[in-house]
Amino acid sequence: MLAFCAMTLPRLAGLLPAEAVRGFFYDAAVLLVVCLLLVFEGLLLLAARPGRGDAEPASAAVGRMRAALFLFMLAEELSRSFLPLYARELYTPVPGLSETVMMGLPIGLFMALVAVFTPFAGHWADRFGSRRTLLLGTLPAVAGFMGTATAGSMAELLLWRGACALGYAVMFIGAQGFVARHTPADRRARGMAQFVAAVIVAGLCGAPLGGILADQFGYRATFAVSALLALAAAAAVTLLPADRTERVQRRPFRLGDATALLANPRFLALLLFSSVPTKLMLTGYLFYLVPVSLHAAGETPAGIGRLMMTYGLIIVLLGPWVSKVADRTGCHALFAGLGGLIGGAGTLAILQEQGVAGILIGIAALGVAHALNNATQLALVPEVCRADCARMGDSSVFAVYRLLERGGSVIGPLLAAALADRFGMQAALVALGALGMLCGTAFCVVFLLVPSASPAAGEAVR
């Protein structure tokens, strides 16, 4: 292959425009990385197969779950680089809603419905078991992707994206429950690491691969591929074993749980100045403004996917190191604060570097920021909510935290679209960067400059 390329590519470069040759090389490099990751996932699945007389099939069960989750998440990630552009093709004038706002509506609605469905998904997993719940998650997603591929109006697109949101929420919670039920306590962290790795690798492959498919075959055909991947995930789910442990009935979510946590000033500061802005920047900046801005700058969906791949690569390379150092030093608040500042400052690079270069710097900065604060935010929750965890239980505290955190995912694309519609795309990029900087600064003031109250004092206040 190398010899063939060495002989033919110079001739090809003489016949084709330089831009076409560069695009060919970029797509080939992306496909090589994606193929390597897919082979890696396949090898992990083969390695997880239990041998004869294997008395402990936990690793095999989690390995098959990882394959199903990877296929499902890959199906969702294929449209990451062009979903707002597809929504624009279906836009028809709606009184009071501009084209720019309507382009962000499918992302905002998807995130809102994921937040709404998540508590129900947890209840279903406890009641019906993880395997049935996972299968329940794949079926509406298959219908949602097929409906999205054939949608003829914005209303149909929103309806079918709602079905995908139901599948996403159920699949996400069901996979977590499956790991918890099929791994012993001393291997639980390694099992959850497989869950996280499946999501990250799918995100790394999805955007560039989906962009290439959209360039070659169109948006609708790419959604059809997503439906096939979700169907393959459903087939993989049917091969999973039944739950090994007794199903548990957790205390249902209560509104008073959220009220009690919001009365904790440091939890509220963590939520408002770090967790919600992180999700807001992810969906508003990366999922909405980046594809729309790069398309306006002349990039194709394949080019947009390649640039967005930078975000995932940085998290994969930097994230594990950050987690180890933060755990070793105990400086979770420091890393979370740095993440907010770096993410906001990096996205402001558009003021100095116009066009694609400035947006790429922002994508890379956001990758560094989220590598710094994704894991450290979770580590801070039990630190600032010790009394709440003792009273409500860790699971309930994290459930409330996750539910409130998703508010940033919902607000992000809608806020970005509204800013872009009112002030222009450049101003929207700058505004989100400034918001990230302000929130990062406020977080550092609260957590790094203002000492926390002693546990006794905190209990006295309560």
Side-chain angles (χ1 to χ4, degrees), residues 129-218:
S130 300
R131 183 173 62 179
R132 292 180 181 177
T133 304
L134 288 168
L135 188 60
L136 176 65
T138 57
L139 297 182
V142 173
F145 287 126
M146 286 304 300
T148 302
T150 58
S153 65
M154 180 63 74
E156 292 181 24
L157 174 62
L158 295 176
L159 173 66
W160 293 118
R161 288 303 293 163
C164 292
L166 172 60
Y168 186 95
V170 174
M171 190 73 176
F172 198 88
I173 297 300
Q176 285 185 330
F178 186 91
V179 172
R181 291 182 175 92
H182 286 265
T183 53
D186 60 342
R187 300 180 64 181
R188 188 80 32 88
R190 279 174 283 181
M192 286 298 177
Q194 292 225 44
F195 168 85
V196 173
V199 176
I200 291 177
V201 175
L204 194 58
C205 297
L209 184 59
I212 293 173
L213 290 173
D215 261 2
Q216 300 299 320
F217 306 106

Side-chain angles (χ1 to χ4, degrees), residues 30-121:
V30 168
L31 285 175
L32 176 61
V33 174
V34 170
C35 288
L36 289 174
L37 291 171
L38 292 176
V39 169
F40 178 70
E41 290 294 321
L43 291 175
L44 287 178
L45 179 60
L46 291 175
R49 294 178 60 184
R52 293 182 178 179
D54 191 356
E56 180 51 64
S59 60
V62 173
R64 289 197 291 273
M65 182 281 300
R66 172 172 175 162
L69 182 64
F70 172 77
L71 290 169
F72 184 89
M73 292 298 172
L74 182 62
E76 179 58 43
E77 292 291 335
L78 285 184
S79 61
R80 191 65 70 204
S81 63
F82 62 81
L83 181 57
L85 308 179
Y86 181 60
R88 183 168 61 184
E89 290 188 355
L90 299 176
Y91 170 75
T92 53
V94 177
L97 293 176
S98 66
E99 179 186 51
T100 308
V101 173
M102 290 296 286
M103 287 167 61
L105 195 57
I107 303 175
L109 178 67
F110 179 89
M111 294 299 175
L113 291 178
V114 168
V116 170
F117 291 138
T118 294
F120 296 100

Side-chain angles (χ1 to χ4, degrees), residues 340-365:
L341 294 174
I342 291 173
T347 52
L348 289 176
I350 194 71
L351 294 172
Q352 297 294 326
E353 291 287 342
Q354 303 295 319
V356 176
I359 296 174
L360 178 59
I361 294 173
I363 295 172

Side-chain angles (χ1 to χ4, degrees), residues 367-455:
V368 174
H370 292 179
L372 288 170
N373 61 19
N374 275 341
T376 51
Q377 287 168 354
L378 290 175
L380 281 171
V381 172
E383 290 183 19
V384 302
C385 301
R386 290 173 184 167
D388 300 292
C389 289
R391 185 180 70 257
M392 298 164 48
D394 290 353
S395 297
S396 296
V397 170
F398 275 105
V400 174
Y401 169 78
R402 285 297 196 187
L403 182 63
L404 297 175
E405 177 194 43
R406 290 190 184 277
S409 301
V410 178
I411 296 170
L414 301 180
L415 176 62
L419 290 171
D421 182 54
R422 181 68 177 85
F423 303 105
M425 201 62 61
Q426 176 98 354
L429 292 167
V430 174
L432 286 192
L435 179 62
M437 282 286 292
L438 289 174
C439 290
T441 302
F443 178 86
C444 291
V445 169
V446 173
F447 278 84
L448 301 180
L449 299 181
V450 178
S452 62
S454 64

